[in-house]
Amino acid sequence: MNPLPALPSASSKPPGVRLTQYAHGGGCACKIPPGELERVVAGLAGPAGTGDLVVGGEDGDDAAVLRIGDGRAIVSTADFFTPVVDDPYDWGRIAAANALSDVYAVGGEPVMALNLLGWPRDALPAELAREVLRGGRDVAAAAGCPIAGGHSIDDPEPKYGLAVTGTADPDRLLRLDAAEAGLPLSLTKPLGIGVLNARHKATGEVFAEAVATMTELNAAAARRALDGGARCATDVTGFGLLGHLYKLARAGGVTAVVDAAAVPYLDGARQAVRDGFVPGGTRRNLSWVAPHTGFGRIAEEERLLLADAQTSGGLLIAGEIPGATVIGELLPRGRHALVVR
């Protein structure tokens, strides 16, 4: 793929074309269910701590980290998904921010990316694909990360994302398995993206706050976490807050306690749940974490929101950092890996 020349900022989406109608799901809600995925990849991921592989995939980390000497490490990740919004430029921006987030979530800096594009050539015009790529290019450029080509296929369902390479200090990482009891839990973006995107897909309503949240880079949050001495973090995407928090608590051997009243949500998220706009991925997330969670008297609506499948969500950090909301704490491991109070 050749670099794209500068184009006007307005999308060229033809009237009546809704990208979300060409996909069976949307965004990170299309992930293979976490329990099923873990069974599929069990024993296949390279174990961390073996040779120069500092962070592998056995705990479900956001990216792999390989030590290359001289106090440096390479960070590598890939992420792509089906349309989460109808506007092609915004979808490209969201998908790029989401892929870059995996590098930030381990404390790295992205340095180069490659486009990953699947496109239904007979169903959608090439001009829309160009808008998707332009959106990805613009967000990657804002991150200081050039896109150097990529790979595309003729696909019956549109898909887009990035393979990203980054660098990091191997002795100064944000790891999934570094949780320690006694630390607060901080969240850098509000929840509710999944249910609002489900409403958008069903009705065509546009939620500007959700788009702004999904296109916001996690770069500054990651820097603040590292500067504050944090060692444990993950980003909140398709497995929802509770799903990603369960993986963090399990890897660190702690119990994570969530104060439900402290968790921030996007405007309209609660109403979307009440109106029935709940992605299948959100319900699968809740089913996965429920056996490991003490919910007490937390209502079903709250449980679904806490398990909501996010796309390009914020960072979940073991520690307190400026600009983030403290939503709970880590305790010594108890009866449940997760407790919602």
Side-chain angles (χ1 to χ4, degrees):
M1 294 179 179
N2 295 323
L4 297 174
L7 291 174
S9 60
S11 172
S12 61
K13 182 172 71 69
V17 173
R18 296 196 57 211
L19 287 178
T20 57
Q21 305 309 297
Y22 289 82
H24 72 283
C28 291
C30 283
K31 280 187 173 182
I32 294 174
E36 180 181 333
L37 180 61
E38 288 190 343
R39 290 191 296 272
V40 170
V41 303
L44 299 178
T50 303
D52 292 321
L53 187 63
V54 182
V55 176
E58 70 277 9
D59 290 323
D61 282 279
D62 300 290
V65 181
L66 183 74
R67 191 187 303 268
I68 59 174
D70 296 326
R72 297 180 300 160
I74 291 293
V75 181
S76 183
T77 188
D79 208 310
F80 63 95
F81 48 69
T82 54
V84 69
V85 294
D86 290 323
D87 186 283
Y89 180 73
D90 282 345
W91 175 34
R93 295 165 63 215
I94 292 164
N98 182 75
L100 292 163
S101 181
D102 286 347
V103 175
Y104 296 131
V106 297
E109 289 283 344
V111 296
M112 185 184 74
L114 300 173
N115 283 313
L116 302 172
L117 178 70
W119 198 255
R121 295 172 50 252
D122 294 334
L124 290 171
E127 290 77 13
L128 292 189
R130 182 179 176 83
E131 281 295 285
V132 175
L133 295 173
R134 188 171 69 88
R137 180 201 63 179
D138 287 355
V139 162
C145 177
I147 296 181
H151 184 68
S152 61
I153 61 170
D154 189 349
D155 192 326
E157 191 174 52
K159 301 177 181 72
Y160 176 64
L162 298 177
V164 187
T165 300
T167 60
D169 180 343
D171 299 317
R172 195 167 176 255
L173 296 172
L174 299 171
R175 302 178 59 113
L176 195 65
D177 63 358
E180 295 181 8
L183 291 175
L185 284 168
S186 298
L187 182 65
T188 66
K189 289 185 184 181
L191 303 183
I193 291 169
V195 295
L196 289 176
N197 285 344
R199 184 164 206 147
H200 171 70
K201 177 179 172 65
T203 69
E205 295 175 74
V206 176
F207 299 96
E209 185 186 15
V211 172
T213 298
M214 289 185 284
T215 55
E216 179 186 352
L217 291 171
N218 282 325
R223 285 194 295 270
R224 290 195 296 268
L226 288 172
D227 290 345
R231 296 175 51 84
C232 175
T234 187
D235 63 346
V236 180
T237 56
F239 299 151
L241 173 67
L242 292 184
H244 289 285
L245 186 54
Y246 169 59
K247 290 166 63 177
L248 183 151
R250 182 180 61 182
V254 298
T255 287
V257 178
V258 176
D259 182 356
V263 177
Y265 292 100
L266 293 167
D267 290 343
R270 289 190 180 277
Q271 191 60 49
V273 173
R274 292 167 188 163
D275 291 341
F277 297 104
V278 180
T282 294
R283 296 191 185 278
R284 292 190 291 270
N285 290 341
L286 184 55
S287 295
W288 182 54
V289 300
H292 314 287
T293 307
F295 279 112
R297 297 186 178 184
I298 299 297
E300 180 75 1
E301 174 187 306
E302 201 77 35
R303 298 183 189 198
L304 286 167
L305 284 166
L306 292 170
D308 188 36
Q310 306 298 281
T311 297
S312 192
L315 297 186
L316 177 64
I317 301 161
E320 189 169 356
I321 67 168
T325 303
V326 174
I327 62 165
E329 61 182 331
L330 298 175
L331 300 177
R333 184 59 186 267
R335 177 184 173 188
H336 295 105
L338 302 178
V339 174
V340 182
R341 62 191 182 195

